Amino acid sequence: MTTFVWSVDDAGSGGSDMVQAMQQLRRFLEERDQRATWFVVPKWRGEALPAQWKDALLGARDAGHDLQLHGLTHEDCYEFGPPAWPATYISPNFQPDFERRREELLPRYTVEKLQTRIEEGISIFRETLGVDPLLFRAPCGAISKPMFEALKNAGIHYHSVMYLSATGYAHLPHNSGDLRPVWTDEIPHRPFRWYNDVVEIPILGEYTWRGAGKRSAEFVDLARQDVTRIVKESPVAVILMHTHGIADDIEHAFRLIDAVIEQAGSQHDFTTLGGLARSGALDAAATVTGPDLLAI
Ligand SMILES: [Zn+2]
């Protein structure tokens, strides 16, 4: 049996249109007796969580949704490490921009500095949301070895940022447009033990990035193919969405969710990453060790 997770990034960032997208998706999932893991930016661009976000997040928490940490400020795409695939496939300017700013950015990546950021995020979660986060997702997938040491020191043992497939971004104007599923073999296709014994829970893919709704039927088909494959390879499957992607075409997002639920069928179930962490299911699923991939 495979347990599926809806994970939604960038809660806490953006204005009332993003809050509204969150609320609409929340209600849609609740009508199906499902909950999401919301990766929340606790201090977007250095500002305190706005009241409308705080209210929305507390409402979600009280309805059984899962709130987990998504960086601290998310002010650029290099908060916890250098740019990584598939962010570089979504935005080809990340790598050259990073190279230009290398001298400025590299000093960020010390255990001490990253741990301070993570611990500030944890404090905001406790004080503002009444939640003890168990998982971390680095903004834009930008990670580093010191980040894993900092996570462990801060008491966070689960991370979910590595992708199995980037086909969900092939529709962007600078990419191939080819929506046939392609999976990487660089990482295990199931949760794995990684740096500092942190368990990495890979992302299956994203099917609702901006513009995906224009090829909705093809993205639904892509998601169905990925679901069919992942149930043969992993006890846990994490699907990624973004608040801004949902807002871009909410009807597409809803269609996609219902198709995944249908494709998963009754022999598989849906829950949150926090729930899986608490039950021990993530530790139990991480039966393999990940490769040493990070240069920094
Ligand atoms: Zn993000």
Side-chain angles (χ1 to χ4, degrees):
M1 189 193 78
T2 298
T3 299
F4 285 82
V5 175
W6 304 109
S7 70
V8 191
D9 284 10
D10 296 348
S13 74
S16 43
D17 48 344
M18 295 301 113
V19 178
Q20 197 193 342
M22 182 207 180
Q23 302 282 42
Q24 286 177 284
L25 181 63
R26 213 199 102 181
R27 279 193 288 273
F28 183 83
L29 288 172
E30 287 167 18
E31 283 164 12
R32 282 141 186 81
D33 200 24
Q34 298 207 355
R35 302 295 184 270
T37 291
W38 302 87
F39 280 97
V40 179
V41 184
K43 195 182 177 185
W44 185 49
R45 295 179 176 171
E47 305 280 336
L49 207 54
Q52 58 174 350
W53 267 119
K54 185 181 168 187
D55 291 346
L57 291 165
L58 289 175
R61 179 201 69 181
D62 292 344
H65 291 264
D66 179 36
L67 308 181
Q68 302 293 347
L69 262 180
H70 188 39
L72 179 64
T73 62
H74 208 321
E75 60 197 71
D76 59 31
C77 266
Y78 325 112
E79 198 178 3
F80 288 86
W85 177 87
T88 49
Y89 182 60
I90 300 171
S91 297
N93 63 319
F94 282 161
Q95 193 65 47
D97 182 47
F98 181 83
E99 296 307 332
R100 265 193 304 276
R101 296 172 58 193
R102 202 175 174 86
E103 298 307 309
E104 169 209 343
L105 293 168
L106 279 183
R108 287 181 177 182
Y109 312 131
T110 69
V111 175
E112 192 184 13
K113 285 182 192 166
L114 298 182
Q115 192 176 331
T116 300
R117 294 184 83 82
I118 293 163
E119 285 173 345
E120 186 177 349
I122 294 172
S123 298
I124 294 169
F125 258 58
R126 285 183 182 146
E127 287 156 21
T128 311
L129 303 172
V131 169
D132 266 319
L134 297 172
L135 280 107
F136 191 75
R137 175 173 284 161
C140 310
I143 60 177
S144 60
K145 290 181 188 175
M147 181 200 79
F148 284 96
E149 191 172 340
L151 284 174
K152 187 183 185 177
N153 292 347
I156 293 196
H157 305 290
Y158 307 98
H159 185 255
S160 175
V161 97
M162 298 297 283
Y163 283 67
L164 299 185
S165 173
T167 301
Y169 311 114
H171 66 299
L172 296 175
H174 52 275
N175 290 336
S176 67
D178 185 347
L179 296 188
R180 280 176 296 187
V182 177
W183 289 25
T184 181
D185 285 320
E186 276 217 321
I187 55 166
H189 294 166
R190 58 179 299 140
F192 55 91
R193 295 245 161 227
W194 215 12
Y195 300 102
N196 299 91
D197 216 27
V198 170
V199 172
E200 176 72 32
I201 307 101
I203 294 165
L204 178 60
E206 179 162 19
Y207 312 97
T208 50
W209 187 260
R210 294 189 293 271
K214 293 194 175 63
R215 296 175 64 179
S216 183
E218 289 170 89
F219 272 98
V220 165
D221 189 46
L222 171 65
R224 285 184 183 275
Q225 292 178 70
D226 284 349
V227 166
T228 301
R229 180 169 174 188
I230 196 67
V231 298
K232 296 177 199 143
E233 301 201 31
S234 178
V236 180
V238 177
I239 292 172
L240 175 61
M241 297 187 272
H242 281 82
T243 46
H244 48 80
I246 296 157
D248 181 64
D249 190 337
I250 201 153
E251 293 306 321
H252 167 62
F254 290 169
R255 210 175 296 127
L256 191 285
I257 289 168
D258 277 340
V260 167
I261 293 170
E262 184 186 88
Q263 192 70 28
S266 55
Q267 67 269 47
H268 304 290
D269 67 355
F270 287 79
T271 188
T272 63
L273 282 167
L276 288 172
R278 277 188 294 276
S279 73
L282 295 181
D283 286 297
T287 53
V288 293
T289 303
D292 183 9
L293 291 178
L294 300 178
I296 292 172

